[in-house]
Each structure stands twice: as C-alpha cells, then as structure tokens.
C-alpha cells in the first residue's frame, strides 16, 4: 500500500477564534508582501516560532520536526507535521498542509508544492541551520535564497493598536502573578511553592480573559539568596531564610506573546547595604524610564545609565543590557534583537515600539549586600513619550515582605 506524502486536515473542526482581528492579520500580511515585492521575492518560507506565529497565529510544538509558513502574494499556508492532526489548520489564519512520516523529507515536498515556479525565496538566515539550508539547496537547485529574517524583525518591532492592547492585558496579568509571589513568599517557604502559586494564579486569569485561547508556556522564576545572581536562574527547592534577597519573575505567555514582571524583594528584613544598593538600582530604573521616548537612541540610553552606576562604583556589577523589545518572543525562541538597550545598538526609539526598562546589578557573594538587584517595567513608546503598562510597586518601601 502506498501511503501519501502530504495530506489535508482542512475542515477537521471549525477554525479557532483568532487572537487578533482579520484586519490586523491582513495588515501584517500586506506589510511583508510589500517588502517581498520591492525585493523581487516570490515566496517567503518562515521557519521560526516567532514569524510563523506572527503571520499565522499558529504556535507549533517543535519536537525535532520541521515546521514552516509559506507566504506569497496570494496565500498564507502553514506546514505542519501529521502528529498534530487538525490543530494547526484550526489555528492558522490561512491555509494548512500536513506532511506525513511515511517518506523521508516530506516537509520539502510540501514546500515545493507551495512555492512552485518561485525563483527567489526568502528564508530566515538567523533560524535556518546548516543542515536545513543544505537540504533546501538540494531540493531547489534553481532557487536563489535570500534573507527575510531581518526585514521581518524590523516590521515586528512596531506594534499595532491591537498588539498593544493585547500586551497591556498581559502586563495586568503579570502584576497579578507578582502579587501572588509576594503573598506566598515567606520565611520557611520554598522557591518552588512560591513559583507554583504565581504560575497557577496567572494561568487561571489567562483562561478567564481568553476563554478560547490555548494555555501554553506561562511560567514563574522565583529566586532566593545566591540564586538571585542570574536573571534566568531556574527555580529550586531552596527554603527562604530571614533576610534573604529575593527575585520574582512572572512571565505570562498568550498566543506567542511574552511579557515580564521582575522585582527585588527581601524576606523579613534588609541590611543598610542591601537598602543602599537597592535604592541605586531603583534610581537607575526611574531614570531609564524617563529616557524611553521617541528620538532617543538605544546606545545613548545605555551610556547615560552606565554613568549613573559608575558614579556609585557599581558599573562593574551590571549584568546585561537595560531592556529589550516585547511582542512575539520567548525564553526558548528568541527576541527582536534590533531593539535592545545596549551600547552596540543604534536603533532610535519610535512610537509603537514596546520595550522594557530592567537594570540589574549582581553583587558577588563575598561582598556586603550580595545578590542580584533587578526591577523591570514594560513601556509603550508613543508620540507624547511613553506609557508604563506595568503597575506593580517596587523598592524598599513596598517589598520588604513580612515574615
């Protein structure tokens, strides 16, 4: 019996309610198509989580298989593995084709069907690995492959009104997660239990806010003591002790969009040096938010904030850049690298960008006040300056927790 290479799950259930309106998705498609037309790109083959999600509203589960989204001047079609059944078709704002496991390289057969006649295909240079690029070139020897990742990123960096409304709802939920952390974090409680309480609280609110949405990827990192020295340190079962420095990190994820709330806290009490360091970081945080306005350059913002740390002899303890873009991104599938508050980023802020201010210093364990100090707000750049969509309090007057 000869089994098929490709199949369709079209009409296997009704299409799911989209995260965004038809007009919003058409706006995205029109933007990338204008770029394609200007560059004589016949079709784009997106392969990353972020671009497949951004242009189709479908978030795939990788598990070692290829996924794709082909965009041309007429159609948008996701390519998914047979293991997923009809879910990709139901979630894709467009068409879907499924490849089977019955023959090797059926994914490339799906690409061939969707790009027939194309001479110039856009692919994501920052996502296509050497093995996949080799196989693409073998399967399509007459095709010229060009990079579409960087132009797509630049388009994603400016958020629409609908995206900003979506992000604003998510920051509200992050604040709820922060309150759950502060509620649960007490001397004698483990990092694990604090994180579980926060995550469950956020997921319940996400389900109430988007009752037809998928519940995927929301998580909390809650760190204590030495474990606060890194912003991305995993949760452990360490028990909170009196006087511990604490870090809450709440990350609701909805339809591929990520937001964050990060705060420094203390368990019961804090030393004078703890308070001094915390105050310095909060001042940097406050000044940084003032600088997030149209016309300011990322590198120049970083330079001014560096000087504030240097004046306190703390610059050597700065951990990473001061902030980054928000939208379709995640800890496991990347970020919009063109919009980061770093010394090497020359991007100028524009209305419609959504960016964090998140200064952090890490004081080594052998010094007084040891630990990681980090505050994190998300701001929408607008014509007037910015709107801070994070509402959770910060600083010593708010977050020295009761025992």
């Amino acid at each position: 019996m000869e089994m098929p290479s490709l199949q369709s799950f079209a009409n296997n259930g009704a299409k799911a309610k989209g995260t965004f309106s038809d007009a919003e998705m058409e706006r995205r498609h029109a933007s990338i198509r204008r770029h394609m037309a200007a560059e004589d790109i016949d079709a784009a083959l997106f392969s990353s989580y972020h671009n497949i999600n951004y242009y189709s509203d479908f978030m795939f589960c990788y598990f070692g298989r290829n996924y794709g989204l082909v965009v041309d001047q007429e159609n948008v079609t996701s390519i998914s593995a047979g293991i997923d059944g009809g879910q990709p078709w139901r979630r894709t704002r467009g068409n879907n084709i499924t490849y089977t496991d019955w023959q090797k390289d059926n994914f490339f057969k799906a690409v061939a069907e969707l790009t027939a006649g194309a001479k110039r295909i856009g692919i994501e240079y920052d996502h296509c690995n050497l093995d996949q690029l080799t196989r693409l070139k073998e399967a399509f020897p007459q095709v010229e492959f060009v990079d579409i990742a960087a132009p797509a990123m630049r388009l994603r960096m400016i958020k629409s009104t609908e995206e900003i409304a979506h992000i604003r709802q998510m920051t509200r939920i992050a604040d709820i997660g922060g309150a759950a952390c502060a509620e649960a974090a007490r001397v004698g409680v483990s990092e694990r239990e604090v994180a579980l309480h926060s995550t469950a609280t956020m997921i319940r609110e996400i389900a109430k806010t988007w009752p037809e949405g998928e519940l995927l990827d929301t998580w909390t990192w809650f760190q204590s003591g030495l474990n606060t020295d890194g912003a991305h340190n995993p949760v452990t079962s360490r028990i909170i002790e009196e006087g511990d420095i604490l870090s809450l990190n709440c990350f609701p994820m909805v339809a591929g969009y990520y937001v964050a709330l990060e705060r420094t806290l203390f368990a019961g009490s804090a030393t004078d040096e703890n308070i001094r360091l915390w105050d310095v970081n909060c001042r940097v945080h406050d000044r940084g938010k003032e600088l997030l306005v149209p016309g300011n350059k990322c590198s120049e913002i970083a330079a001014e904030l560096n000087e504030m740390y240097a004046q306190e002899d703390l610059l050597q303890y700065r951990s990473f850049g001061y902030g980054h873009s928000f939208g379709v991104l995640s800890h496991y599938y990347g970020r919009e690298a063109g919009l980061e508050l770093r010394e090497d980023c020359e991007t100028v802020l524009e209305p419609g960008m959504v960016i964090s201010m998140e200064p952090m210093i890490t004081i080594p364990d052998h010094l007084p006040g040891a630990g990681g100090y980090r505050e994190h707000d998300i701001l929408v750049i607008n014509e007037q300056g910015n709107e801070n969509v994070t509402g959770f309090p910060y600083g010593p007057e708010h977050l020295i927790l009761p025992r």
Side-chain angles (χ1 to χ4, degrees):
M1 180 178 179
E2 186 175 350
M3 303 300 288
S5 300
L6 306 175
Q7 58 187 171
S8 172
F9 278 93
N11 303 313
N12 197 56
K15 283 280 193 179
K17 180 181 179 182
T19 308
F20 301 99
S21 70
D22 289 343
E24 166 64 12
M25 298 307 292
E26 288 164 5
R27 180 196 68 81
R28 300 179 187 191
H29 300 159
S31 295
I32 196 66
R33 282 168 172 156
R34 281 194 295 271
H35 169 76
M36 292 164 60
E39 298 296 322
D40 294 323
I41 297 173
D42 301 308
L45 170 61
F46 292 108
S47 54
S48 67
Y49 288 103
H50 40 277
N51 278 321
I52 291 175
N53 184 77
Y54 185 77
Y55 290 110
S56 74
D57 203 23
F58 164 51
M59 176 57 64
F60 66 86
C61 177
Y62 174 53
F63 241 105
R65 291 179 169 90
N66 286 315
Y67 286 78
L69 184 77
V70 173
V71 179
D72 59 26
Q73 292 298 330
E74 296 180 356
N75 298 299
V76 174
T77 307
S78 62
I79 305 171
S80 58
I83 192 171
D84 295 328
Q87 184 263 358
W89 180 82
R90 293 191 293 273
R91 288 287 168 183
T92 296
R93 303 295 287 277
N95 304 316
N96 170 261
I97 189 169
T98 296
Y99 68 92
T100 72
D101 287 345
W102 294 114
Q103 298 86 22
K104 184 180 179 182
D105 288 343
N106 281 343
F107 171 80
F108 298 98
K109 294 179 183 178
V111 175
E113 182 168 307
L114 296 174
T115 62
K119 300 298 183 185
R120 193 169 156 86
I121 295 178
I123 61 174
E124 297 177 74
Y125 279 18
D126 62 357
H127 191 269
C128 185
N129 60 39
L130 284 173
D131 177 66
Q132 189 176 51
L133 181 60
T134 298
R135 293 163 80 183
L136 280 170
K137 288 181 175 179
E138 290 174 350
F140 305 97
Q142 305 305 315
V143 167
E144 178 187 3
F145 293 101
V146 297
D147 183 40
I148 203 164
M153 178 189 67
R154 287 192 291 272
L155 292 173
R156 296 197 315 274
M157 280 164 47
I158 304 296
K159 272 58 183 181
S160 69
T161 300
E162 286 193 30
E163 286 182 283
I164 291 169
H166 184 78
I167 291 168
R168 187 180 287 109
Q169 279 277 44
M170 293 178 63
T171 55
R172 177 185 66 83
I173 292 169
D175 287 348
I176 291 171
C181 279
E183 173 186 62
R186 296 293 183 269
V187 173
V189 177
S190 70
E191 294 178 7
R192 175 195 68 236
E193 293 303 319
V194 176
L196 287 171
H197 180 56
S198 171
T199 300
T201 300
M202 290 191 290
I203 289 174
R204 291 187 184 103
E205 185 63 23
I206 290 168
K208 185 165 65 175
T209 306
W210 291 277
E212 298 183 59
E214 296 176 328
L215 301 175
L216 183 70
D217 295 331
T218 292
W219 86 107
T220 302
W221 281 323
F222 187 84
Q223 302 138 346
S224 64
L226 184 62
N227 202 30
T228 64
D229 67 347
H232 297 164
N233 293 357
V235 172
T236 74
S237 294
R238 182 184 183 276
I239 302 298
I240 297 170
E241 300 176 2
E242 169 70 32
D244 268 350
I245 186 171
L246 310 171
S247 290
L248 71 79
N249 309 265
C250 299
F251 308 109
M253 289 284 297
V254 179
Y257 281 72
Y258 157 98
V259 303
L261 170 70
E262 300 174 3
R263 290 291 187 260
T264 303
L265 314 89
F266 278 84
S269 62
T271 67
D272 289 345
E273 182 63 2
N274 290 144
I275 298 296
R276 184 187 77 83
L277 294 164
W278 197 0
D279 277 335
V280 169
N281 209 55
C282 289
R283 290 201 303 273
V284 173
H285 184 57
D286 290 338
R287 178 56 181 157
K289 288 186 289 184
E290 293 173 351
L291 294 171
L292 295 181
V293 296
N296 279 356
K297 187 181 293 186
C298 291
S299 59
E300 293 173 355
I301 294 171
E304 179 169 335
L305 300 182
N306 282 347
E307 184 59 30
M308 290 184 69
Y309 278 137
Q311 289 173 3
E312 300 288 342
D313 195 26
L314 293 173
L315 183 58
Q316 65 270 35
Y317 302 125
R318 200 195 94 184
S319 300
F320 52 87
Y322 289 101
H324 59 83
S325 182
F326 277 78
V328 180
L329 55 100
S330 172
H331 61 307
Y332 67 86
Y333 58 83
R335 61 207 298 169
E336 293 164 5
L339 182 53
E340 297 206 19
L341 298 174
R342 296 163 45 111
E343 296 82 354
D344 59 353
C345 182
E346 299 304 307
T347 300
V348 175
L349 299 183
E350 301 175 37
M353 292 177 171
V354 180
I355 190 167
S356 61
M357 175 49 58
E358 49 179 306
M360 179 178 180
I361 51 173
T362 297
I363 308 303
D365 194 42
H366 66 279
L367 295 178
Y373 299 77
R374 182 170 68 262
E375 315 300 337
H376 180 298
D377 287 12
I378 295 176
L379 297 95
V380 178
I381 310 302
N382 56 35
E383 297 288 352
Q384 294 72 41
N386 65 55
E387 176 193 1
N388 189 344
V389 294
T390 296
F392 199 76
Y394 58 94
E397 65 272 28
H398 298 290
L399 293 179
I400 298 179
L401 303 177
R403 293 171 176 80

